[in-house]
Amino acid sequence: MGYDEVIKYLGDFGRYQRQIYFLLCLPAISCAFHKLAGVFLLARPNFRCILPFEDVNATYESFPQQQWNLTYPYDPLTGKWQMCEYYNRDYTDDYLNGSTINATIDTKECENFAYERTRYESSAVTEWNLVCSRSLLSATSDSLFMLGVLLGSIVFGQLSDKYGRKPIFFASLVMQEVFGVLAGIAPEYFTYTVSRMIVGATTSGVFLVAYVIAMEMVGQSYRLFAGVACQMFFSVGFMLTAGFAYFIRDWRWLQIGLTLPGLLFMCYHSIIPESARWLLSKGRKTEAIAVIDKAAEINDVNIPQLVYDNLMEETNGSDAMKVSSGSNERTPSIFDLMHYPNLRRKTLLIFFDWFVNSGTYYGLSWNTNNLGGNVLLNFVLSGAVEIPAYSFLLLTLNKWGRRSILSGCMLTAGVSLILTIIVPSDMNWLIIVLAMAGKLAITSSYGTIYLFSTEQFPTVVRNVGLGASSMVARIGGILAPYLNLLGQFWRPLPLLICGALALLGGLLSLMLPETLNKSLPETMEDGEKFGRKQRSSDGRDSNNEDGEELTTMITKHNGKIISCT
């Protein structure tokens, strides 16, 4: 008898679970602060080159507009002045007044820059001149932050399985506070970027570990709601980030201001319990019973002593997912999914969907500065559309099916984003509307892919498959900053690329089998047969017909059958 039997008496979502669940969802807000802060920390305002005859402290507005054509090259393709170089001329008063003409037409690269201060008092970009030839450093900083998220999900995930959810949650929280403040006082780019990368890693330790604790205490009937609702807290943090940026216009104080709220979660130490499921998996039955007793007391329920007497130590997740070959056991790997054609095809399709969803989600979230109009309003709207996106999932996932929602949302996102290239330049509001429609749709598909992938992979390699999918998703997030950098050359380009990828992903998703109300595949053989079309004796295509041929094929692989132990 395992923890699921205890849930029958505690209730799937009793008062105790609701209280702890709410407290564990709040850290998602602070993690959103850190993940979205780069939009403002690395904001690139309008700038111009400081010319040789100007004072080094010259302002953006100090140079007369009518003299720009005499000093800066103009690019008719983009309709913008080239602010990274200036005409190498003799800037006499007569020349600047237009009285004389200088025949020299070569240009020279800028060394000093003046920035517009109306939107941002300062940013890391303006402080360290991360523009022109150094603009790649700005994208690299955000990219390394996402690399930290990837590494954190691996490291802290392993540590939480070994040492427990609770200690890793608080260790990550302490690291997040320390390096979050360090990023705010960093004296130069390298220290700032490394600190932000470590903060990115801790978001996995804080948010994902808290999410696991919350989900492990919720019963089956509420897991869909609990999983989706937790993401809404992240969306709230998304929108609140703009509020901090509105009141704090200096990037250093903004970084520190977004970090300090995490200190509030330190008081959780005496409130948040260790996961009873994890305690049972480690054979710590007495501690698990103490957690269960407290939950029963708050839920005002009685658990029969027989349940405690028969409470078995649950098998450790890593042990339960071993692949057996006769009498030998080995840990499954991603290569097991690549041995068989149908599983390989489904796995690659799922990987591509994760890559596209993550890249498009973060690409759109970080692209609000390139949309035009009010930057803060665009940012708030980008976060606000996530609430109806997740609400849509709650209402439809168990009715319309996973595949139709995933494919439909990705196709909607793709079409919306591609349409932005045909919008006239004087209708910027329509570009914003289409971008937000694309963000809403991709948020829904991103929420769907979590559940859909879980139901596609066989039990024996489910954790491995989800872990590999998450890693592929992080690659999309790592590349997203470089994608947005292209918007400096042509504003619609990031939207066009995201739209094309989402459209392709939506079409390819139709090749995946529907999982709603279907039995989940347990063994590798089940996974290979699931959704595999075979020709029946009457000539019609059918799914999961006679599996004799498949069984033979799997058996021939090293002469062994892979199954769940």
Side-chain angles (χ1 to χ4, degrees), residues 11 30 33 35 42 58 72 88 120 122 130 191 283 318 322 347 363-364 374 377 401 404-405 494 498 520 523 541:
S30 65
F33 290 165
K35 283 194 173 183
L42 292 166
Y72 302 116
N88 187 20
Y120 307 99
S122 71
L130 305 181
T191 304
S318 59
K322 287 182 178 177
T347 299
L364 294 177
N374 189 311
L377 179 59
S404 57
I405 292 177
C498 287
L520 299 186
T523 66
D541 285 336

Side-chain angles (χ1 to χ4, degrees), residues 274-276 278-280 283-293:
E274 181 57 88
S275 168
W278 181 83
L279 290 170
L280 288 172
R284 295 158 63 173
K285 185 175 177 180
T286 302
E287 296 172 69
I289 290 176
V291 174
I292 295 169
D293 280 340

Side-chain angles (χ1 to χ4, degrees), residues 201-235:
T202 64
T203 60
S204 296
V206 174
F207 176 58
L208 292 183
V209 174
Y211 179 85
V212 168
I213 298 175
M215 295 301 291
E216 286 184 340
M217 66 173 58
V218 174
Q220 180 67 37
S221 63
Y222 276 89
R223 284 180 185 166
L224 174 60
F225 167 81
V228 173
C230 186
Q231 300 297 326
M232 292 185 180
F233 283 81
F234 186 91
S235 302

Side-chain angles (χ1 to χ4, degrees), residues 40 242 368 371-384 432 436:
F40 304 105
T368 51
L371 292 179
N374 189 311
V375 172
L376 287 174
L377 179 59
N378 292 344
F379 189 87
V380 172
L381 288 175
S382 186
I432 295 174
M436 294 306 149

Side-chain angles (χ1 to χ4, degrees), residues 181-201:
V181 172
L182 182 59
I185 62 175
E188 31 69 37
Y189 171 84
F190 179 78
T191 304
Y192 164 80
T193 299
V194 171
S195 298
R196 282 276 295 164
M197 184 173 68
I198 296 175
V199 169

Side-chain angles (χ1 to χ4, degrees), residues 17-241:
Q17 290 103 312
R18 290 196 300 271
Q19 292 173 357
I20 300 300
Y21 173 80
F22 175 75
L23 292 176
L24 288 172
C25 283
L26 291 178
I29 296 176
S30 65
C31 289
F33 290 165
H34 293 293
K35 283 194 173 183
L36 280 306
V39 173
F40 304 105
L41 299 176
L42 292 166
R44 186 182 69 92
N46 292 327
F47 67 95
R48 68 174 183 85
C49 183
I50 295 180
L51 297 167
F53 62 87
E54 291 186 281
D55 184 81
V56 69
N57 295 319
T59 64
Y60 178 83
E61 298 81 8
S62 62
F63 194 72
Q65 188 71 31
Q66 66 271 20
Q67 294 180 350
W68 281 38
N69 62 328
L70 298 173
T71 53
Y72 302 116
Y74 182 78
D75 188 348
L77 295 178
T78 62
K80 297 179 180 180
W81 304 101
Q82 300 302 302
M83 295 292 95
C84 296
E85 54 188 20
Y86 60 93
Y87 289 126
N88 187 20
R89 292 173 174 170
D90 184 12
Y91 289 105
T92 63
D93 289 339
D94 288 340
Y95 173 75
L96 292 174
N97 292 329
S99 303
T100 62
I101 298 177
N102 192 319
T104 305
I105 58 173
D106 62 311
T107 60
K108 191 174 182 180
E109 289 188 4
C110 296
E111 296 181 359
N112 299 301
F113 301 90
Y115 298 93
E116 187 179 21
R117 305 289 180 176
T118 55
R119 288 182 178 176
Y120 307 99
E121 184 176 318
S122 71
S123 73
V125 168
T126 64
E127 182 166 334
W128 295 319
N129 289 327
L130 305 181
V131 294
C132 299
S133 60
R134 290 169 55 86
S135 61
L136 197 63
L137 294 177
S138 175
T140 299
S141 183
D142 272 338
S143 181
L144 289 176
F145 177 90
M146 293 304 295
L147 176 61
V149 175
L150 167 60
L151 297 176
S153 64
I154 298 172
V155 173
F156 290 113
Q158 294 283 345
L159 291 177
S160 68
D161 283 341
K162 184 175 182 180
Y163 297 107
R165 296 15 176 155
K166 185 175 179 177
I168 300 305
F169 171 79
F170 285 102
S172 303
L173 190 59
V174 171
M175 291 178 61
Q176 189 174 96
E177 294 302 299
V178 171
F179 286 95
V181 172
L182 182 59
I185 62 175
E188 31 69 37
Y189 171 84
F190 179 78
T191 304
Y192 164 80
T193 299
V194 171
S195 298
R196 282 276 295 164
M197 184 173 68
I198 296 175
V199 169
T202 64
T203 60
S204 296
V206 174
F207 176 58
L208 292 183
V209 174
Y211 179 85
V212 168
I213 298 175
M215 295 301 291
E216 286 184 340
M217 66 173 58
V218 174
Q220 180 67 37
S221 63
Y222 276 89
R223 284 180 185 166
L224 174 60
F225 167 81
V228 173
C230 186
Q231 300 297 326
M232 292 185 180
F233 283 81
F234 186 91
S235 302
V236 171
F238 192 132
M239 291 181 281
L240 288 178
T241 306

